[in-house]
Amino acid sequence: MTMTTMTTMTTPTTIKNNPDKILLGHGSGGKLSHDLIDNLFTKYFNNPILNQQSDSAVIPMSSNHIAYTTDSFVVDPIFFPGGNIGNLAVAGTVNDLAVSGAEPKYLSAGFIIEEGFSFSQLEQIVISMAVDAKKAGVTIVTGDTKVVDKGKCDKIFINTSGIGILDKKNVGISSGSAIKPGDKIIINGSIGDHGMSVMAARNELNIQTHITSDCACLNHLIADALKSSKLIKFMRDATRGGLGTVISELVKGSDYGIQIDEDKLVIHESVRGLCELLGFDPLYVANEGKVVIIVGSEDAEKVLSKIKESPLGKEASIIGSISEDHKGKAWLNTGVGGKRVIEMLSGQQLPRIC
Amino acid sequence: MTMTTMTTMTTPTTIKNNPDKILLGHGSGGKLSHDLIDNLFTKYFNNPILNQQSDSAVIPMSSNHIAYTTDSFVVDPIFFPGGNIGNLAVAGTVNDLAVSGAEPKYLSAGFIIEEGFSFSQLEQIVISMAVDAKKAGVTIVTGDTKVVDKGKCDKIFINTSGIGILDKKNVGISSGSAIKPGDKIIINGSIGDHGMSVMAARNELNIQTHITSDCACLNHLIADALKSSKLIKFMRDATRGGLGTVISELVKGSDYGIQIDEDKLVIHESVRGLCELLGFDPLYVANEGKVVIIVGSEDAEKVLSKIKESPLGKEASIIGSISEDHKGKAWLNTGVGGKRVIEMLSGQQLPRIC
């Protein structure tokens, strides 16, 4: 008996017995894979390019430059207050494109799923991705699904890559090469919410908090900021490693210093409390809806006002500036008048936060 | 004590004790992540676009159309005769772009690694990717690394997405819409080698064979074939689900039939033997270096000769044709004069083969 006839005989029964379970066959490239594509992915991600269902998505391209990025998401737990792994997978890649000065346009989605994973949870994740992609104005045009045996991955991992169109004037905008002393540093709101919401959602901690992840697509906010000023010199989303990592990476080897005023940082009380309880420094806790923008001081207030107009920028503030002193160093002016060096995080503060 | 100071204190010891181990911190976005990027990824994938190390790769783009694809690789074992998961990750995505008629140009690489994975194995995988990318003429321009706790994934998973430039005349080439009765079906060599080499490499089977995976980038072979004829109407790489799945997918709902001559299929003796032993049908076993090409009969011999010029096409043959009869059905003309319907694989024949 060939395997073909064998699977023809046994698979329908398995499906009937486990209507909500993802089976190894859903990753086989055969009939079950096709069912999954038809009944889930093209149903929710529905768009003409994806619907071609060819080996590659074919995309008309009018720009001379594109931005291209990839990110894998392995967050644990996969559902947390404020979002799930699907929201993260869309926002993370959209934001990486947006901070490069690009208009995010197309996403790919690669799923690695553990055998036995709940179909309805997968559907919920896929719907979240479809909703966020639509809000952000991006299209999920190509995808892939692999299913591995039970115990060989942890529920679900998602990789998204993304393509954005890059206006010539924005090429190199996030390099930071034009930064000079006096420039101001803006962030669009509070820090630490995402990381602490995921920590609190971990069952083993049994913590009750009101912390909600800030997970969000920032591309519209960033596009508005870019339109409001020609003096934006650097943008980066403060994800893994948090604000502290963005600042310490930027200043490393530069011919300027960076000072951050601790008093200007917005840290929600619940986040601050949980950080103190668990021994984390909010400066290094992951965000998923926060962008650090460096802008010439003349335009700083204008850009800040524009950002505050967005629902995702209501708590925005100017948190520091570029300094001529202490070249290559970043420091926090603490609330009590001291200075604390902001160093690059060594090792892992919070595993599987995104 | 904040986590920052804590990790500064403990991490270097951990590294010293486990110089060959991937640690959770290598996926943190902090210093260890940077070390990994500098000492491994940019070292081997070295190119100006990747070296920007920005959130997105910025790519100059002269074409009006691009092809875009993604694929995750979860093969088990990760090393097998003829290749490893890295070779697969490059070839799989390069081939998906090539069969769309595109010239593969840029790849992304997303790694999900199990804590404790061997650095030297990772290096070997990365080197394989770099070598194959160079041979194929593609550049790995953006990447991502996540590390998950021991036991939460199986050694290493790799996602590659890819972008290719698509000449206007090749848009829609792999749709198969121009296929008509009389057209010939070509494959560039033997079937079943990849799947059976991976099966044989699984320790639990304890099988000694000489089967080697056919894993290879086919873009140069495909480009030469495309240059040799204007009558190429369909191309697809026969990966998961094998040749049988490509054929049965193509014919489904079409207004023609497909006949394949079993005598024309090249199946290496060792592959045939192992398939018989394990109860697999070679028609449905994965290949990673085989492309199915459908071409107008006038040009079939010309295209076949061109493919045979490539080292990856020496065993190429015309294996069948498009028929007016049995619309929507595919069948095998068996060696003994019978006919066997080629159905779509239901369920999973070989899990984690790619």
Side-chain angles (χ1 to χ4, degrees):
Chain A
M1 182 170 65
T2 67
M3 195 70 182
T4 329
T5 47
M6 197 175 86
T7 51
T8 310
M9 279 159 50
T10 60
T11 314
T13 327
T14 324
I15 299 173
K16 243 178 253 166
N17 290 346
N18 294 294
D20 188 45
K21 293 272 185 264
I22 297 295
L23 308 175
L24 281 172
H26 284 115
S28 69
K31 193 173 172 315
L32 284 177
S33 293
H34 280 79
D35 290 350
L36 193 67
I37 291 169
D38 291 344
N39 300 330
L40 187 67
F41 299 120
T42 57
K43 179 175 166 190
Y44 293 112
F45 296 157
N46 179 40
N47 64 74
I49 299 175
L50 182 67
N51 295 350
Q52 295 164 3
Q53 291 199 25
S54 55
D55 286 288
S56 305
V58 171
I59 303 172
M61 192 53 63
S62 57
S63 170
N64 286 330
H65 284 89
I66 62 172
Y68 182 30
T69 190
T70 187
D71 221 336
S72 298
F73 297 85
V74 298
V75 65
D76 173 44
I78 54 175
F79 292 90
F80 47 82
N84 64 49
I85 190 170
N87 302 108
L88 272 191
V90 171
T93 291
V94 162
N95 293 345
D96 275 348
L97 293 171
V99 296
S100 301
E103 181 193 350
K105 293 291 282 181
Y106 304 105
L107 298 190
S108 71
F111 297 86
I112 299 175
I113 309 173
E114 187 182 13
E115 179 189 20
F117 185 67
S118 145
F119 180 85
S120 55
Q121 289 200 343
L122 178 60
E123 188 171 36
Q124 203 177 330
I125 290 165
V126 166
I127 290 171
S128 301
M129 294 176 76
V131 168
D132 280 8
K134 191 170 183 187
K135 267 200 279 183
V138 297
T139 318
I140 297 170
V141 293
T142 184
D144 175 61
T145 310
K146 294 289 187 306
V147 181
V148 297
D149 321 55
K150 194 149 185 67
K152 297 299 182 183
C153 86
D154 192 10
K155 296 178 284 291
I156 184 169
F157 300 149
I158 303 177
N159 173 284
T160 47
S161 74
I163 295 176
I165 286 176
L166 194 53
D167 198 307
K168 205 177 165 185
K169 70 173 192 292
N170 288 341
V171 172
I173 198 159
S174 73
S175 70
S177 59
I179 292 174
K180 62 173 179 36
D183 290 348
K184 299 296 184 190
I185 302 166
I186 298 174
I187 189 166
N188 62 310
S190 60
I191 61 169
D193 301 83
H194 174 71
M196 285 300 117
S197 99
V198 171
M199 281 306 284
R202 290 191 179 158
N203 286 331
E204 63 266 35
L205 293 176
N206 198 17
I207 292 170
Q208 301 289 325
T209 74
H210 299 286
I211 305 172
T212 302
S213 168
D214 62 337
C215 176
C217 293
L218 297 171
N219 55 320
H220 300 314
L221 177 150
I222 288 171
D224 287 344
L226 278 177
K227 264 181 243 157
S228 75
S229 167
K230 289 192 170 116
L231 297 181
I232 289 179
K233 301 171 180 185
F234 174 84
M235 296 184 292
R236 184 153 296 168
D237 49 338
T239 55
R240 270 190 295 184
L243 174 63
T245 297
V246 171
I247 297 295
S248 58
E249 276 185 18
L250 178 63
V251 86
K252 186 185 160 195
S254 74
D255 58 354
Y256 51 78
I258 295 182
Q259 56 176 338
I260 301 291
D261 297 322
E262 191 172 33
D263 286 348
K264 301 288 170 59
L265 295 177
V266 179
I267 304 171
H268 294 148
E269 269 317 306
S270 49
V271 170
R272 193 186 294 276
L274 188 56
C275 278
E276 277 172 13
L277 190 69
L278 299 176
F280 290 114
D281 182 342
L283 207 58
Y284 295 93
V285 174
N287 313 280
E288 288 291 342
K290 292 295 146 28
V291 58
V292 178
I293 297 180
I294 299 190
V295 58
S297 60
E298 312 91 292
D299 279 4
E301 287 297 339
K302 191 165 67 176
V303 172
L304 180 65
S305 307
K306 179 50 75 179
I307 290 172
K308 279 171 166 285
E309 286 176 17
S310 162
L312 300 171
K314 281 183 187 160
E315 295 182 313
S317 61
I318 296 171
I319 57 169
S321 60
I322 304 298
S323 127
E324 217 154 350
D325 304 335
H326 306 297
K327 293 185 204 313
K329 300 270 179 206
W331 69 95
L332 202 65
N333 295 317
T334 64
V336 293
K339 282 184 182 188
R340 201 184 103 206
V341 173
I342 301 172
E343 291 191 278
M344 195 178 282
L345 189 67
S346 175
Q348 175 77 306
Q349 182 169 25
L350 291 172
R352 299 187 59 193
I353 215 67
C354 60
Chain B
M1 183 169 63
T2 67
M3 195 70 183
T4 328
T5 47
M6 198 176 84
T7 50
T8 311
M9 279 160 51
T10 59
T11 311
T13 327
T14 323
I15 298 173
K16 243 179 253 164
N17 291 347
N18 294 295
D20 188 45
K21 294 272 186 262
I22 297 295
L23 307 174
L24 281 172
H26 284 115
S28 69
K31 196 176 169 312
L32 284 179
S33 294
H34 280 79
D35 291 348
L36 193 67
I37 291 169
D38 291 343
N39 301 330
L40 187 68
F41 298 120
T42 56
K43 179 175 166 191
Y44 293 112
F45 296 156
N46 179 42
N47 65 73
I49 300 176
L50 182 67
N51 296 349
Q52 295 163 3
Q53 291 199 28
S54 56
D55 285 289
S56 304
V58 172
I59 302 172
M61 192 52 65
S62 56
S63 170
N64 286 329
H65 284 88
I66 62 171
Y68 181 31
T69 191
T70 187
D71 221 336
S72 298
F73 296 85
V74 298
V75 65
D76 173 43
I78 53 175
F79 292 92
F80 46 82
N84 63 50
I85 190 171
N87 303 106
L88 272 190
V90 171
T93 291
V94 162
N95 293 344
D96 276 347
L97 293 170
V99 297
S100 300
E103 181 192 351
K105 293 292 281 180
Y106 304 105
L107 298 189
S108 70
F111 297 86
I112 299 175
I113 308 174
E114 187 181 13
E115 180 190 18
F117 185 66
S118 147
F119 181 84
S120 54
Q121 290 201 341
L122 179 60
E123 189 171 36
Q124 202 178 332
I125 290 164
V126 166
I127 290 172
S128 301
M129 294 176 76
V131 168
D132 280 9
K134 193 170 182 189
K135 267 200 279 183
V138 298
T139 318
I140 298 168
V141 293
T142 184
D144 175 60
T145 309
K146 294 291 188 307
V147 181
V148 298
D149 321 55
K150 193 148 186 66
K152 296 301 182 184
C153 85
D154 192 8
K155 297 178 283 290
I156 184 168
F157 300 149
I158 303 177
N159 174 284
T160 47
S161 73
I163 295 176
I165 287 178
L166 195 54
D167 197 307
K168 205 178 167 187
K169 70 174 191 293
N170 289 341
V171 172
I173 198 159
S174 73
S175 71
S177 60
I179 291 174
K180 64 174 176 36
D183 290 348
K184 300 296 184 191
I185 302 166
I186 299 174
I187 188 164
N188 63 310
S190 59
I191 60 170
D193 301 83
H194 175 71
M196 285 300 116
S197 100
V198 171
M199 282 304 285
R202 290 192 179 157
N203 286 332
E204 65 265 33
L205 293 178
N206 197 17
I207 292 171
Q208 301 288 324
T209 73
H210 298 286
I211 305 172
T212 303
S213 167
D214 61 337
C215 175
C217 292
L218 297 171
N219 55 320
H220 299 315
L221 177 150
I222 288 171
D224 287 344
L226 278 177
K227 264 181 242 157
S228 75
S229 167
K230 289 193 169 116
L231 297 182
I232 289 178
K233 301 171 178 185
F234 174 83
M235 296 184 291
R236 183 152 297 166
D237 49 338
T239 55
R240 271 191 294 184
L243 173 63
T245 298
V246 172
I247 297 295
S248 59
E249 276 185 20
L250 178 63
V251 85
K252 188 184 159 195
S254 72
D255 58 355
Y256 51 79
I258 295 182
Q259 56 176 338
I260 301 290
D261 297 321
E262 191 172 33
D263 287 347
K264 299 290 171 56
L265 296 177
V266 179
I267 304 170
H268 293 147
E269 269 317 306
S270 49
V271 170
R272 193 186 295 277
L274 187 57
C275 277
E276 278 174 12
L277 189 70
L278 300 174
F280 289 115
D281 183 342
L283 207 58
Y284 295 93
V285 174
N287 312 280
E288 288 291 342
K290 292 294 145 29
V291 57
V292 178
I293 297 180
I294 298 189
V295 58
S297 60
E298 312 92 292
D299 279 2
E301 288 296 338
K302 190 164 69 177
V303 171
L304 179 66
S305 306
K306 179 51 77 180
I307 290 173
K308 279 172 166 282
E309 286 176 17
S310 161
L312 300 172
K314 281 183 187 160
E315 295 182 312
S317 61
I318 296 172
I319 57 168
S321 60
I322 304 299
S323 127
E324 218 154 348
D325 304 335
H326 306 298
K327 294 185 202 313
K329 300 273 180 206
W331 69 95
L332 202 65
N333 295 318
T334 63
V336 293
K339 282 185 181 188
R340 201 184 104 207
V341 172
I342 301 172
E343 291 192 279
M344 195 178 282
L345 189 68
S346 174
Q348 175 77 306
Q349 182 171 23
L350 291 172
R352 298 188 59 195
I353 214 69
C354 59

